[in-house]
Structure formats: C-alpha cells, structure tokens
Amino acid sequence: AGSIHCGWRSTVQDILRNAVGAMVSLGAEPGRISASVGPAIGPCCFETGTDVPEAVEKLLGVKAAREYISKGARPGKFMVDLPGVVVQLGVPRDRIDICRDCTKCNGEDYLWSERYSREHNTWRGSSAAAIQVPPAGADRDTGGSSLI
C-alpha cells in the first residue's frame, strides 16, 4: 500500500507513474493496483496561466491533454482538470475512484484548500490520507494495492 500527495507540479513530473513503478518493483501487480483521488481543486476553479497546460501537454501529449484543458474566462487563462489528468498516469481507469468535490467551491467543508483559504484570509493548508490494508486471508480483489 502507498500514499502519494501531489499538486500540479508533482503530477506533471510524473510522480504517480513513478509511484506505480515503485509498487510494481516491490511485487504489486499493475492490473490490481487501485487508486483513490481525494477532494481537490476542480476544473471549475483551477484557473492557471499557460505554464500548467503546457506542462500537462508535455506529460500526456497535446491530443490527450485537450480533454483536461479549457480556456478560462479571462484572456490568457486556462481551466485545468487536474484530477482528470491523474487517471492517465499508470492505473487502469476502472481501478480509480475520484472524488469530484472541488475544495475551493466547498472550502467550508475542506479547510485545507489553499486557494479558498487565501481568499478568506485564513491561510491554512493541511491534508491527511489513510490506507486500509485487508486482513490476512481477505479477498485481495477487494483490497489489492492502493495509491491515494
């Protein structure tokens, strides 16, 4: 089992694919690795300049990246679906659960949103992850290796 936290920079530096590779090198079977993507800033609020879309295009290729990038409301700005990009990085899609709650839209529920806290002058950022390992003898197809 493993836990990985990543923002856009570590995502485009391929931390997730590297983590999957590390799990496989330790004996995990790629088709049995499961991933969960916790609440994150959503494509509705993750407005960026050109740096993020360009990095996503470099990672996925221009054609594949188009699915996750759209023009923002302001000139020179883009909206990026970072949780969506994660599904491209080494785990079969049917083994990934994505929480689509936007931490900025729902900042009162998710007090660790950097953008929400910046706007509300609370400047708090925190997160936690939990991994549940199935007990010995449990059906491994319902457990398996996890990447969060």
Side-chain angles (χ1 to χ4, degrees):
S3 178
I4 293 89
H5 172 267
C6 58
W8 78 265
R9 286 179 182 88
S10 52
T11 297
V12 299
Q13 291 173 356
D14 229 359
I15 189 174
L16 296 170
R17 196 178 331 258
N18 290 330
V20 169
M23 291 173 76
V24 169
S25 75
L26 294 171
E29 296 175 31
R32 294 189 56 208
I33 294 174
S34 297
S36 297
V37 180
I41 192 164
C44 51
C45 295
F46 190 38
E47 182 182 63
T48 73
T50 59
D51 53 343
V52 179
E54 287 172 356
V56 171
E57 288 174 350
K58 183 177 178 186
L59 176 68
L60 301 179
V62 174
K63 186 176 179 181
R66 286 184 193 146
E67 182 177 346
Y68 308 105
I69 301 167
S70 60
K71 289 191 183 259
R74 299 183 299 160
K77 296 294 182 177
F78 298 86
M79 307 307 286
V80 178
D81 180 3
L82 194 58
V85 171
V86 169
V87 305
Q88 296 289 321
L89 302 179
V91 176
R93 283 184 186 236
D94 64 342
R95 306 278 304 183
I96 302 173
D97 290 319
I98 298 178
C99 176
R100 284 294 185 173
D101 288 356
C102 174
T103 55
K104 185 172 181 222
C105 289
N106 301 300
E108 303 250 340
D109 295 329
Y110 300 108
L111 297 176
W112 61 80
S113 169
E114 184 268 332
R115 289 189 187 210
Y116 177 88
S117 64
R118 185 177 350 140
E119 287 181 6
H120 292 83
N121 205 25
T122 58
W123 289 97
R124 177 181 172 178
S126 60
S127 64
I131 300 171
Q132 181 178 353
V133 178
D139 180 2
R140 294 287 179 191
D141 286 335
T142 59
S145 301
S146 296
L147 178 67
I148 300 176

